[in-house]
Amino acid sequence: MEMLKKLFSPITGTINYIQNHFKAMLFILLLIIIFAPASEEELSPNNLQKIALVGAIMDSSEVVEQINKAAKDDAIKGVLLSVDSPGGAVAPSVEIAYAIKRLHEKKPVVVYAKGTLASGSYYASIWADKIIANPGSMVGSIGVIMQGADLSGIMNKIGIKSQVVKAGKYKQVGTPDREWTPYEKNELNKVIQGTYNMFVCDVANARKLDIKKKDNFANAHIFTAAQAKDIGLVDRVGVAYDAKEELIKLSGVSHPVWNKEDKFDKFIKKLAATTAITLHTYFPNLSLR
């Protein structure tokens, strides 16, 4: 009996190990299935980079980091910026725009408008070599807005009064506890007009448009893809395939290899999306939209 036990001990030991560590082994197997490369192509370094700009632009750090990384990577021969965004805050939109401008000086950049290319997201895209818009996309809205709520009515109803100690005539500009005075609106309008002029000038310079005709292409007009092409805001109407082919041509790569989103990052994003709660605030906000 002892001899049989010794003879079969490797087998019984293996079975016991599997039974005791089944969950851990199953978890490891799941990770291998999820993250293992599906083909030899996934093991090859990519020479073309796709970067997505989706949703409201409130923070530019992640997108700018991707752009700067692609600019420094000699293996990357061209970048496709895929955009579906209504715009957002001024500063992050400008950050992305100037990151694209720096990238454009080193290697070709093509922007693909897959849905909405408007206001801040259009600003972010203007220095690309080519802008290609999906036939069903909306383009333009070159304008600036600042809005805020007047909560004085509801504050009066529930008996709330604000108390302010300030230094500087304009320090209380934009607060929501009362109606803005005419001089406060004029002060805000000064900022709005200055930002709008910067926006329009950059669009005219980047897209080689006549700034004297700014009311035709700016003024917060919204265009279809075809209309945007007619006035020079985009270069071509096409789909994602056309945008990729354009970048392949501009970059001169003979065997294009596109980057694939990291599977772990994709998994985390999907997990986060199922549990995320969107909070909306209605306070004064200077936006390109």
Side-chain angles (χ1 to χ4, degrees), residues 247-287:
L247 184 62
I248 291 170
K249 182 176 71 174
L250 290 174
S251 62
V253 298
S254 54
H255 300 288
V257 180
W258 293 89
N259 65 303
K260 295 184 181 296
E261 185 176 13
D262 183 85
K263 290 186 177 181
F264 182 74
D265 288 345
K266 191 174 183 180
F267 174 75
I268 293 299
K269 286 178 183 177
K270 284 185 177 180
L271 186 64
T274 59
T275 58
I277 299 174
T278 304
L279 301 176
H280 296 280
T281 56
Y282 196 68
F283 291 98
N285 184 33
L286 182 63
S287 304

Side-chain angles (χ1 to χ4, degrees), residues 120-219:
S121 70
Y122 184 78
Y123 202 155
S125 307
I126 56 176
W127 273 291
D129 292 79
K130 298 286 183 181
I131 300 178
I132 297 175
N134 181 285
S137 63
M138 293 187 2
V139 181
S141 190
I142 298 172
V144 186
I145 185 173
M146 178 179 281
Q147 61 186 28
D150 178 2
L151 303 179
S152 58
I154 192 170
M155 289 172 66
N156 289 334
K157 285 184 179 181
I158 60 179
I160 296 177
K161 294 181 180 180
S162 63
Q163 300 182 93
V164 178
V165 177
K166 65 177 181 178
K169 178 180 179 181
Y170 298 101
K171 196 60 181 175
Q172 205 176 353
V173 168
T175 53
D177 59 341
R178 62 198 165 73
E179 183 180 357
W180 299 343
T181 65
Y183 76 82
E184 287 176 321
K185 291 179 181 179
N186 288 336
E187 183 71 6
L188 293 173
N189 189 59
K190 179 181 68 176
V191 176
I192 296 292
Q193 291 301 321
T195 306
Y196 176 67
N197 290 337
M198 176 185 72
F199 192 176
V200 173
C201 286
D202 278 349
V203 170
N205 290 333
R207 297 295 304 171
K208 296 179 174 55
L209 299 174
D210 185 355
I211 198 166
K212 294 178 181 178
K213 298 179 180 179
K214 63 182 180 180
D215 288 341
N216 293 332
F217 64 83
N219 212 17

Side-chain angles (χ1 to χ4, degrees), residues 59-109:
D59 177 49
S60 63
S61 55
E62 183 178 347
V63 173
V64 169
E65 183 180 357
Q66 292 181 64
I67 295 169
N68 291 340
K69 186 177 179 181
K72 295 175 183 176
D73 190 345
D74 292 336
I76 302 299
K77 305 304 179 184
V79 173
L80 175 69
L81 182 67
S82 179
V83 183
D84 187 4
S85 166
V90 176
S93 300
V94 174
E95 286 281 358
I96 298 172
Y98 278 80
I100 290 292
K101 186 178 183 182
R102 292 191 301 271
L103 177 63
H104 159 73
E105 293 170 355
K106 294 184 175 182
K107 54 194 70 177
V109 185

